[in-house]
Amino acid sequence: MLIAARAMSAGMKVLEPILAQTGVKPVGKAVIGTVKGDLHDIGKNLAKMMMKGVGIEVVDLGVDVSETKFLQKAEEIGADIVCLSALLTTTMPAICDTINSFKEAGLKDKYIFMIGGAPVSSDYAKKVDADYYTPDAGTAAEVAKEALLKKAQ
Ligand code: B12
């Protein structure tokens, strides 16, 4: 499993510049990360690459990202979208905690929240008050772009 994960990471280093080289102007900014306690990043990295590919500027916070770090970075870079990934049923609640921390700071409505990862669903997105759930990276990029264009209108 570890070998496959490393092979995927190495492959992504080759693909990333190719996918990002589409020459389109940035349509918005996003922060993306895997939530607190969770070290899975293959799917998150794919979502990041696909978003870059449709012209979104993406700041990747990595894995095991605290609520505070998501909030601070989103504010710091003037993000439009906050993207949260979770692969473990035990770390899914950290998605909820992160969104709640934005609510507590009175900043929830300032951002578009997108969530993903194998155990996550559209029902879960509704439950935690996320704006969008998408099942794969390609759809995530399209949905993010549409949401940004709608926000800009
Ligand atoms: C690779 C892997 C690992 C690697 C991770 C390496 C890495 N750099 O990511 C390693 C070996 C480190 C690992 C560790 C562990 N793992 Co693990 N792992 C997996 C595995 C095999 C594949 C996950 C993966 O990368 N899938 C491929 C990607 C492309 O899919 P994806 O992540 O779902 O992403 C897609 C979508 O979900 C979506 N997406 C993802 N993120 C986002 C974000 C946004 C915003 C959006 C819009 C979309 C989106 O787009 C992606 C592309 O289409 C899965 C089993 C499986 N078949 O899924 C288990 C699995 C997730 N792991 C599991 C477990 C239990 C663990 C460990 C706890 C094991 C242990 N006892 O130590 C640890 C936890 C470590 C931690 N604290 O996080 C369980 C989780 C069970 C559960 N119900 O919670 C699984 C399901 C295996 C199993 N069947 O038991 N794991």
Side-chain angles (χ1 to χ4, degrees):
M1 204 156 65
L2 275 172
I3 292 167
R6 285 185 194 130
M8 184 70 198
S9 297
M12 287 198 298
K13 282 196 183 108
V14 177
L15 282 177
E16 192 166 13
I18 299 165
L19 281 172
Q21 255 173 23
T22 54
V24 284
K25 276 189 183 171
V27 290
K29 288 184 188 174
V31 288
I32 192 167
T34 305
V35 296
K36 195 157 83 184
D38 199 323
L39 303 176
H40 296 83
D41 67 356
I42 296 171
K44 181 265 294 170
N45 291 345
L46 284 172
K48 172 183 73 174
M49 281 195 297
M50 294 304 284
M51 285 186 189
K52 282 186 175 180
V54 297
I56 299 168
E57 200 179 308
V58 187
V59 173
D60 185 0
L61 304 179
V63 295
D64 190 20
V65 182
S66 68
E67 300 94 347
T68 318
K69 196 169 171 192
F70 273 112
L71 203 150
Q72 280 174 350
K73 203 66 184 178
E75 285 287 288
E76 185 189 317
I77 68 152
D80 304 287
I81 311 186
V82 177
C83 302
L84 309 169
S85 182
L87 260 289
L88 299 170
T89 46
T90 50
T91 57
M92 280 169 68
I95 290 181
C96 185
D97 294 344
T98 304
I99 295 175
N100 283 344
S101 76
F102 279 77
K103 280 185 186 166
E104 281 156 22
L107 295 168
K108 162 74 172 66
D109 294 338
K110 192 173 167 187
Y111 300 99
I112 299 160
F113 285 85
M114 292 188 67
I115 66 169
V120 180
S121 64
S122 51
D123 279 349
Y124 189 72
K126 280 188 202 125
K127 195 176 152 193
V128 299
D129 210 9
D131 299 291
Y132 299 100
Y133 155 79
T134 67
D136 60 73
T139 316
E142 289 308 321
V143 168
K145 191 176 176 181
E146 271 172 38
L148 283 169
L149 294 174
K150 207 165 127 189
K151 193 183 175 196
Q153 279 171 4

